[in-house]
Amino acid sequence: MATIAIIGAGAMGSGIGRQLAEGGASVLTYLEGRSPGTHERARAAGMEPASLEDIIGAEIVLSIVPPAEAIGVAERLSAAIGERPSPVTFVDCNAISPKTMNAVAAAFRPGQANVLDGSIIGLPPQPGKAGPKLYISGDGADKSAVLATHGLHVRRIEGAVGAASALKMCYAGINKGVTGLGTAMLLAAIGSGADQSLKQEMAESAPDLDRKLSSAIPDMYAKAYRWVAEMEEIAAFLGEDDPASQIFRGMAGLFQKMAEDRAGGGELADQLDALLGR
């Protein structure tokens, strides 16, 4: 039985933990300082609380945390590894740019870790469904094979560290960018009295997009606070010289506004839900 460690027991981390546990792996997680709800979610997923010393002894360690925490996780693990003689296999699975991914890799001293670049595309695993795909780059030695053996849908990219992160930036820029654009324009329509006409026109001339936004926008509210840093990472990925980077800096501001709206009672969300028929 392989022992696999996961740093981060949120919806995605605990879902992946459950999938691995159901696939026969022993799954460890680090819960110091986490809320009682996180402890319960990890327990329900079959994940075992462990110290950092136990975490770095696992066959492979996955980091599944908000983008802003990615470098900090690597730094804490590096400190825990110290002068350990055998390297840890570490996979950063976070929504970060290739530049940030390189900073994550640089947090480890030479010989401390085999650092792989991972990106998760799809929703958290649910019972009876296949679950998301985990793309991996920089894995010439096929260290990620153990994850596929225990139930994850792993796709290797024949590229160096940074390639999987680039894929995530591009996919999220399209997928979440559409959600953000729809949110912005629907709010503008509500504010100007054009909302019902816009909704009718979209249902008639762009029914697929109308259906997507009717589902994706309400689903976004609870995640908006996490998407802020992800949009900033996409802007950094595009670079200051690319005018499109301004789009994603604006998206970061939009999702920040939606996160603050949720914290303040959800007035904007209620208006959107009413328009979307939720």
Side-chain angles (χ1 to χ4, degrees):
M1 176 190 296
T3 299
I4 299 169
I6 297 177
I7 307 291
M12 183 64 78
S14 61
I16 292 228
R18 178 183 290 106
Q19 201 165 22
L20 288 167
E22 290 175 349
S26 172
V27 184
L28 307 181
T29 191
Y30 182 65
L31 295 174
E32 184 176 322
R34 301 304 300 268
S35 69
T38 301
H39 280 257
E40 174 57 28
R41 184 164 52 241
R43 186 202 63 76
M47 304 165 79
E48 302 173 26
S51 66
L52 282 181
E53 288 70 24
D54 290 333
I55 292 290
I56 62 176
E59 188 166 338
I60 191 166
V61 181
L62 310 181
S63 172
I64 308 176
V65 297
E69 298 177 20
I71 295 174
V73 166
E75 290 173 341
R76 287 195 297 276
L77 283 178
S78 174
I81 293 167
E83 302 302 323
R84 187 174 186 268
S86 56
V88 173
T89 297
F90 174 79
V91 189
D92 185 289
C93 304
N94 304 306
I96 55 177
S97 68
K99 181 178 179 180
T100 302
M101 181 63 224
N102 287 332
V104 166
F108 295 95
R109 297 198 301 274
Q112 282 192 317
N114 300 310
V115 179
L116 309 182
D117 181 17
S119 68
I120 300 170
I121 294 182
L123 297 174
Q126 299 177 11
K129 296 185 179 181
K133 303 178 188 73
L134 174 59
Y135 287 85
I136 301 277
S137 67
D139 188 19
D142 200 19
K143 297 284 187 179
S144 60
V146 64
L147 301 174
T149 299
H150 291 284
L152 292 193
H153 188 174
V154 177
R155 288 188 176 178
R156 289 178 59 199
I157 300 176
E158 296 302 326
V161 166
S165 289
L167 170 66
K168 178 66 174 182
M169 295 290 94
C170 295
Y171 183 85
I174 294 169
N175 190 41
K176 295 173 183 176
V178 168
T179 301
L181 181 61
T183 300
M185 291 299 96
L186 288 176
L187 286 173
I190 290 169
S192 61
D195 47 319
Q196 294 300 327
S197 295
L198 175 61
K199 186 68 170 64
Q200 181 178 353
E201 181 58 39
M202 288 182 60
E204 292 173 358
S205 61
D208 290 344
L209 179 58
D210 183 54
R211 283 191 292 272
K212 174 179 172 58
L213 293 180
S214 294
S215 173
I217 289 176
D219 187 56
M220 168 269 297
Y221 306 146
K223 306 172 185 177
Y225 77 98
R226 289 193 285 109
W227 289 10
V228 176
E230 190 168 343
M231 296 301 107
E232 292 170 344
E233 288 287 329
I234 295 171
F237 166 63
L238 291 170
E240 292 294 330
D241 293 338
D242 190 333
S245 66
Q246 299 177 33
I247 296 171
F248 292 95
R249 281 192 288 271
M251 288 290 178
L254 171 69
F255 291 129
Q256 181 64 44
K257 179 172 77 172
M258 295 308 299
E260 291 171 356
D261 175 71
R262 179 178 174 82
E267 180 180 353
L268 295 179
D270 288 344
Q271 293 174 3
L272 287 165
D273 284 347
L275 179 59
L276 295 169
R278 302 288 293 198

